[in-house]
Each structure stands twice: as structure tokens, then as C-alpha cells.
Amino acid sequence: MLSLSPPITLITCPPKTTTNPTHASRSQSRRLPSQPMIIIKRGTTVAGSIPNADKAEGRASIDEDLLEVELTQTELRKEMIPKHVAVIMDGNGRWAKMRGLPLSEGHTAGMQSLKTMVKMCLRWEIKLEVEFLFSLLERIINSETEAIMREQIKISMIGDSSKLPKSLQRMISSVEESTKNHSKLQLIAAINYGGKYDVVQACKSVAKKVQDGSLHLEDIDENIIEKELETKCTEFPNPDLLIRTSGELRVSNFMLWQLAYAELFFNQKLWPDFGKDEFVEALSFFQKRQRRYGGRH
């Protein structure tokens, strides 16, 4: 998954009625308690976000005219692009199995789809939140360290790291320390994270403050609790849009508090087959929604 903090500025679409999406989505296996969340904080676009980036190394931003052309070509409205998109990337295992390939090949293909989406989110200044298997975290840190440093990406981790292998704990501490002053993007890996766990640990933190006398019971409200959630380390904790691939129609204990008013888009394609066209379709769906945030017309 990818990042935020309250109160968040969300895009409110003009009042218009729409139907629910006809797509469906989900992951190749039951969600594990150690699945991480990655959060990319909205920031300056980077070289990797431009077309043919391998031929244009060194460019630190993209041309605004190019952005306008691409949005026009996709019929998306720039002012209605969501600030933060969360993605549950389901289907890597099934994708590999259908092709008679080892599971690792499905994860490799899934990483390519993630890179494509990250480039688009950087180009259109969308914060991206991606849930993926715990086993991929060390691999991503190892393979993308050079790009992380070059593009000035800040790495943070949320969740209970005590259950991770010591070697991975050291790697995370090292990359957090070495990137703590980076400001272009923020990448947050949530490990051993779950939505229910997140709310419980926030309540415990609030209760301790009441017990210590630093907080009065009557002062507790949504903002107080939200500030104690795991996503407190990010600028915008609440996604505008959740995308789930591979046919499952549920959020599976993922950011239960933060997704309260998110629009939900489900797609039948397995994650490695989810590309630019599908992402544009999800954004188009979002732009047709009438957002009320719990209110009524």
C-alpha cells in the first residue's frame, strides 16, 4: 500500500450519479499477518516517471505540457485526479500457476506492474498505497536501493517489526536512517499490519494518555484516535480510491479506519496483467463518483 494525514484534502467530484463498477478483484491467497504496505507520498515527479526514462536519465521532472497531453488522451480531468490511491495487488501466484511457472515468476511480473503504476502515479502526482507479500520486502529493498537513493525517496516502516528476521530489521533500520532527509517521495512499508490491529493499538495509546493524565476522557474524538493510527507518520492517511485486482470483493482487514470514505474499484484481472489501461479505467470510475464523506444531499 502507499500514504497520508488528517485532515486530508480530498478531491470532491461534481454532483452526478453513477452506477457501481462491474469489475471484481482479489489476491492469490489468504492475506498473511505479515503483508506489508508501501506508501508513496505525493511529491516532485522523478526521472523514472517520464516516458522512455531509460533514454532520458537525469531528468528530475516532467513537462507540464506532456502531463496535459496525456490526461487529454485518457479523457481524465487533471483537477479530479485522486490525491491518494491504495492498491491490493492480488493474483501473482495464480498468474504464475496458470502459466506453469514458479511463484517467484509471478512476483517478478507483479513487480513490473507495480513499477508501471508507480511511474503513472508520479507523473500524475498521485500518492500510491500498495499491499504486497512480506516475502517481497527484502527483495525490493535490495533491488531498488540505487533508485531509492537517486530519486530521493524516504523509506519508513510501520507495524510490529519484532517478528521480522533480525537481518531484515537491520536492513530496514539502515535504509530508514539513510533516507530520513529525503523529500521527493515517501515509501512506507507496513509489516505485520492489519486494520483491526491498527485501531486496537491506537485505542491502547489513547487509554494510556488518559491514564497518565495527559489527555481527558471527554477530549477523545476521531482526530485524537486518527493521530495514534499507524499511518500517523504520513501526510495523508486516508486513500481516495482503493483498487483490488483478481476478482475478490472485500478489503480483507486492510486500513479499515482509513478506507472509511474511499471509493472502491474491483477488477477481475490478476495483478501482473493490470496495466495502464486498467489504471486509467479505475481513475475514470473515480472521477464519475459523487463523493459525500458520510453526508447527504
Side-chain angles (χ1 to χ4, degrees):
M1 319 180 316
L2 312 199
S3 138
L4 3 263
S5 150
I8 115 178
T9 304
L10 300 177
I11 296 180
T12 305
C13 298
K16 64 166 77 171
T17 57
T18 60
T19 58
N20 290 330
T22 57
H23 314 285
S25 98
R26 159 70 172 156
S27 120
Q28 75 272 21
S29 61
R30 185 179 299 274
R31 177 190 168 96
L32 300 176
S34 58
Q35 288 179 331
M37 172 176 84
I38 290 189
I39 298 169
I40 295 182
K41 176 182 175 183
R42 178 179 177 182
T44 307
T45 49
V46 296
S49 70
I50 58 177
N52 302 317
D54 55 332
K55 299 179 181 179
E57 290 186 3
R59 288 187 59 179
S61 63
I62 60 171
D63 195 313
E64 281 296 319
D65 291 337
L66 175 60
L67 176 62
E68 295 294 345
V69 168
E70 291 199 352
L71 290 177
T72 299
Q73 290 176 344
T74 60
E75 297 185 355
L76 294 174
R77 295 175 59 183
K78 179 180 179 181
E79 71 275 12
M80 294 173 62
I81 289 290
K83 295 288 192 300
H84 175 213
V85 174
V87 182
I88 299 178
M89 307 184 301
D90 288 345
N92 291 341
R94 271 178 281 170
W95 185 91
K97 185 176 181 180
M98 288 169 59
R99 290 161 176 77
L101 300 172
L103 179 60
S104 59
E105 292 298 322
H107 291 326
T108 297
M111 284 181 64
Q112 294 305 312
S113 293
L114 174 59
K115 288 181 180 180
T116 296
M117 181 169 287
V118 167
K119 289 178 182 180
M120 295 175 68
C121 287
L122 288 168
R123 181 179 298 124
W124 294 338
E125 297 186 331
I126 299 172
K127 185 191 338 282
L128 179 62
E129 201 137 355
V130 181
E131 175 194 48
F132 58 93
L133 293 176
F134 159 74
S135 60
L136 293 179
L137 178 61
E138 190 166 4
R139 178 178 174 184
I140 288 176
I141 292 178
N142 279 326
S143 64
E144 302 299 328
T145 297
E146 182 179 345
I148 288 169
M149 300 304 293
R150 182 179 66 248
E151 308 299 358
Q152 291 288 295
I153 297 173
K154 179 179 179 180
I155 303 294
S156 305
M157 197 214 82
I158 59 176
D160 184 5
S161 62
S162 66
K163 295 179 174 61
L164 300 178
K166 295 296 183 183
S167 60
L168 184 53
Q169 291 183 41
R170 290 193 293 270
M171 177 182 292
I172 291 170
S173 296
S174 176
V175 75
E176 282 184 323
E177 177 63 25
S178 61
T179 64
K180 65 181 181 181
N181 295 321
H182 291 179
S183 59
K184 281 188 177 179
L185 297 170
Q186 183 181 14
L187 185 72
I188 300 179
I191 305 174
N192 198 25
Y193 171 90
K196 290 182 178 180
Y197 151 82
D198 199 357
V199 174
V200 169
Q201 68 82 27
C203 290
K204 287 182 177 180
S205 180
V206 170
K208 187 176 187 306
K209 290 184 177 181
V210 172
Q211 186 179 46
D212 294 342
S214 59
L215 180 67
H216 297 293
L217 184 64
E218 57 271 17
D219 293 331
I220 299 175
D221 58 14
E222 291 184 8
N223 287 333
I224 292 294
I225 294 177
E226 195 162 69
K227 289 175 182 177
E228 299 299 330
L229 294 172
E230 291 286 292
T231 45
K232 63 187 176 184
C233 65
T234 68
E235 183 182 356
F236 303 107
N238 307 315
D240 299 324
L241 171 66
L242 170 69
I243 297 172
R244 184 164 194 170
T245 61
S246 92
E248 295 298 333
L249 305 175
R250 50 179 174 257
V251 296
S252 298
N253 195 28
F254 178 67
M255 298 187 76
L256 299 180
W257 179 290
Q258 295 88 338
L259 291 174
Y261 297 116
E263 301 296 331
L264 308 180
F265 179 85
F266 302 102
N267 189 277
Q268 291 284 357
K269 287 196 172 182
L270 302 178
W271 173 247
D273 295 326
F274 192 91
K276 177 179 178 179
D277 290 343
E278 289 75 24
F279 189 39
V280 168
E281 182 183 8
L283 297 179
S284 178
F285 156 76
F286 173 81
Q287 294 194 351
K288 295 174 182 177
R289 299 297 298 168
Q290 180 181 348
R291 309 198 70 197
R292 296 175 179 159
Y293 305 103
R296 293 184 178 181
H297 274 299

